[in-house]
Amino acid sequence: MFDPWAKVSELGIDVHTVPLEQLSGCTDGTTIWLDTHLTTTERRCTLTHELVHLTRGHTGHLPQAAEDAVREETARLLVSWEGLHAHCGAQLEIWHLAQELGVTPQVLADRIRHASAEERCALHGCIAS
């Protein structure tokens, strides 16, 4: 399982928890700020998202295509294929499945949305069984 806190430590990145208005997190390319009101799961997902921005050299507002690519990479880091497939067919609501996988429903939805053709086929076969 991807641990964004270990990555932050490895890279020597400063992370600050502060009240942010209308944002869960942000980065200037060297520091990451997380909103104080985030749950543990939201904090993990937001930190990963901001780490992806940081490792890609992003420092400001981005076009939607770039933001979508960051969301896809975030989802792939946090939701492994093995983890998703292990719960396939469990008939869980997306909220419950997200909880089982330790991510937010949005991150899980992003992972499913960006599944490869092979992954989609396997998921469809699992659901159909």
Side-chain angles (χ1 to χ4, degrees):
M1 177 188 297
F2 181 75
D3 180 359
W5 297 103
K7 192 69 170 172
V8 161
S9 178
E10 174 190 323
L11 297 174
I13 298 166
D14 289 328
V15 177
H16 303 282
T17 303
V18 297
L20 295 174
E21 292 194 27
Q22 301 178 4
L23 292 174
S24 296
C26 59
T27 184
D28 65 359
T30 59
T31 302
I32 294 174
W33 292 272
L34 301 174
D35 185 52
T36 54
H37 298 97
L38 299 176
T39 65
T40 300
T41 299
E42 290 168 335
R43 197 173 306 115
R44 178 174 174 261
C45 293
T46 301
L47 180 59
T48 301
H49 181 96
E50 296 307 325
L51 271 169
V52 172
H53 277 303
L54 196 138
T55 58
R56 290 177 175 217
H58 299 162
T59 58
H61 186 72
L62 299 170
Q64 190 60 49
E67 188 63 31
D68 288 346
V70 168
R71 287 176 62 165
E72 178 181 357
E73 184 175 345
T74 298
R76 287 186 178 280
L77 285 169
L78 292 173
V79 182
S80 70
W81 166 247
E82 294 77 18
L84 184 58
H85 194 261
H87 289 88
C88 186
Q91 301 297 320
L92 296 172
E93 297 284 331
I94 194 159
W95 185 86
H96 288 106
L97 181 55
Q99 208 171 30
E100 288 288 321
L101 295 169
V103 296
T104 62
Q106 182 62 55
V107 168
L108 177 56
D110 288 341
R111 180 63 177 96
I112 293 168
R113 182 179 312 106
H114 295 290
S116 69
E118 291 148 358
E119 290 169 339
R120 285 180 189 271
C121 220
L123 286 174
H124 180 68
C126 190
I127 292 166
S129 331

